[in-house]
Amino acid sequence: ILPEGNSVKEALAFHPDSTSRAFEFGSLRWFVIKRDDQFGVRLRDFESPQLENFHGIERYPVDLSWRIEAQFEYADSSRTIEITNILGQTSPQKSPGTLVFDFNDVEYRLDVIDEGERICL
């Protein structure tokens, strides 16, 4: 069943331009992902006891002294950096620039990767 509730007998489960296409059946929802030349399935069960019993994670309280302002240094539009995914595959990713900031009198630099609508550190 597709999210719109329409039943199908045949469907394109993966296309490089449509990685957000999800499928569902009962409480299960899944979609196909591709990492380099390997495919995988991400599956969620919205009626899983672990999900129903999850009430957050323990964490330290927010400390505003860790709110650090940074300068963004734009890079050449063709710049890439090597990123290794959870499968151990390393591939070049577009990097629009670097965040530069000081903390306790030490300069730090964080490369940024471009993931379309969101930018990740």
Side-chain angles (χ1 to χ4, degrees), residues 1-117:
I1 309 271
L2 294 171
E4 298 84 25
N6 299 319
S7 295
V8 294
K9 292 182 181 179
E10 182 178 310
L12 177 65
F14 178 81
H15 186 277
D17 295 331
S18 62
T19 57
S20 63
R21 180 180 297 198
F23 297 90
E24 61 184 63
F25 181 78
S27 66
L28 303 176
R29 186 166 301 139
W30 66 93
F31 59 97
V32 178
I33 61 171
K34 183 177 181 188
R35 297 292 181 263
D36 288 332
D37 61 348
Q38 296 185 8
F39 290 89
V41 174
R42 287 204 173 141
L43 174 66
R44 292 190 67 188
D45 181 355
F46 287 92
E47 293 178 6
S48 165
Q50 287 85 1
L51 183 60
E52 291 176 6
N53 295 318
F54 179 74
H55 302 291
I57 58 173
E58 291 184 33
R59 63 178 179 84
Y60 294 101
V62 173
D63 181 349
L64 293 179
S65 69
W66 283 95
R67 181 177 179 185
I68 300 169
E69 292 191 23
Q71 299 297 316
F72 185 74
E73 292 181 354
Y74 286 92
D76 180 281
S77 62
S78 64
R79 179 179 184 233
T80 62
I81 58 175
E82 296 292 315
I83 299 292
T84 302
N85 67 24
I86 194 167
L87 301 174
Q89 301 164 318
T90 300
S91 61
Q93 301 288 321
K94 289 179 64 174
S95 176
T98 303
L99 290 174
V100 182
F101 61 93
D102 288 324
F103 186 76
N104 289 337
D105 297 322
V106 177
E107 181 180 275
Y108 295 89
R109 304 175 66 80
L110 296 174
D111 291 322
V112 175
I113 60 172
D114 183 350
E115 290 198 338
E117 293 182 15

